[in-house]
Amino acid sequence: MLSGSIIDVYPDNHNNLMVTWLVGAGKAVRIEDVYKPSFFVYSKVEDLYNLSIMLRDLPDIENLNFTREKIVIGSDKKKLVLEVLPKKISLISRLAGMIDSWGGFYRYQLFNVDLRLPSMYLQEKGVFFNARVKWDGKNFFLDDEQWAIDYTLPGYKSIVFDIKRRSNSSIMSFNDCI
């Protein structure tokens, strides 16, 4: 079982997975995890049904599912929504924008599309950035208290870069050598 602090998380759009870097015991370990995020669309039932008909044959859609989700902050009441699962994680924004435009930017309410993928991934895994965790190859196990104010700081090393550019010009350019 790997253990360390989460130092970075980002999507690998080409391979449709999330990359997480754990730092612990003086070394960094790259973790690759297949990730299939979805988003939700809320509207009148008839509009959701019609939307599902338009979406079902698109090549960018892996799955559509009618489900019940909480969509109002502070309410436990669940409403019928259409869950949209793209084939690739890189397609979430494009599909959400397309659905929003099809509804004239007012007919459909979209949920879980504004979150950054790394934040959404960590939230679904029940961990957070810089958290001390263990990884068993499938799941993270939190070694920190999320709301603690006295948790152990990760033991990162700092490196100072002293970079100078070689140019006679006082105006910097992307063509300057360093």
Side-chain angles (χ1 to χ4, degrees), residues 2 108 136:
L2 297 173
Y108 305 119
D136 70 356

PDB file of all heavy atoms in Angstrom, residues 2 108 136:
ATOM      1  N   LEU A   2       0.641   2.133  -0.933  1.00  0.00           N
ATOM      2  CA  LEU A   2       1.398   3.381  -1.014  1.00  0.00           C
ATOM      3  C   LEU A   2       0.850   4.381  -0.007  1.00  0.00           C
ATOM      4  O   LEU A   2      -0.347   4.394   0.266  1.00  0.00           O
ATOM      5  CB  LEU A   2       1.284   3.980  -2.412  1.00  0.00           C
ATOM      6  CG  LEU A   2       1.845   3.172  -3.569  1.00  0.00           C
ATOM      7  CD1 LEU A   2       1.492   3.846  -4.889  1.00  0.00           C
ATOM      8  CD2 LEU A   2       3.347   3.046  -3.435  1.00  0.00           C
ATOM      9  N   TYR A 108     -32.546  24.158 -19.421  1.00  0.00           N
ATOM     10  CA  TYR A 108     -31.897  23.099 -18.646  1.00  0.00           C
ATOM     11  C   TYR A 108     -31.004  23.689 -17.558  1.00  0.00           C
ATOM     12  O   TYR A 108     -30.306  24.663 -17.799  1.00  0.00           O
ATOM     13  CB  TYR A 108     -31.033  22.214 -19.549  1.00  0.00           C
ATOM     14  CG  TYR A 108     -31.780  21.622 -20.716  1.00  0.00           C
ATOM     15  CD1 TYR A 108     -31.404  21.918 -22.018  1.00  0.00           C
ATOM     16  CD2 TYR A 108     -32.853  20.763 -20.517  1.00  0.00           C
ATOM     17  CE1 TYR A 108     -32.080  21.377 -23.095  1.00  0.00           C
ATOM     18  CE2 TYR A 108     -33.536  20.220 -21.588  1.00  0.00           C
ATOM     19  CZ  TYR A 108     -33.148  20.532 -22.879  1.00  0.00           C
ATOM     20  OH  TYR A 108     -33.824  19.999 -23.937  1.00  0.00           O
ATOM     21  N   ASP A 136      -4.492   1.879  -2.068  1.00  0.00           N
ATOM     22  CA  ASP A 136      -4.418   0.418  -2.149  1.00  0.00           C
ATOM     23  C   ASP A 136      -4.485  -0.105  -3.582  1.00  0.00           C
ATOM     24  O   ASP A 136      -4.645  -1.295  -3.808  1.00  0.00           O
ATOM     25  CB  ASP A 136      -5.514  -0.227  -1.300  1.00  0.00           C
ATOM     26  CG  ASP A 136      -6.916  -0.026  -1.867  1.00  0.00           C
ATOM     27  OD1 ASP A 136      -7.074   0.673  -2.887  1.00  0.00           O
ATOM     28  OD2 ASP A 136      -7.868  -0.574  -1.275  1.00  0.00           O
TER      29      ASP A 136
END
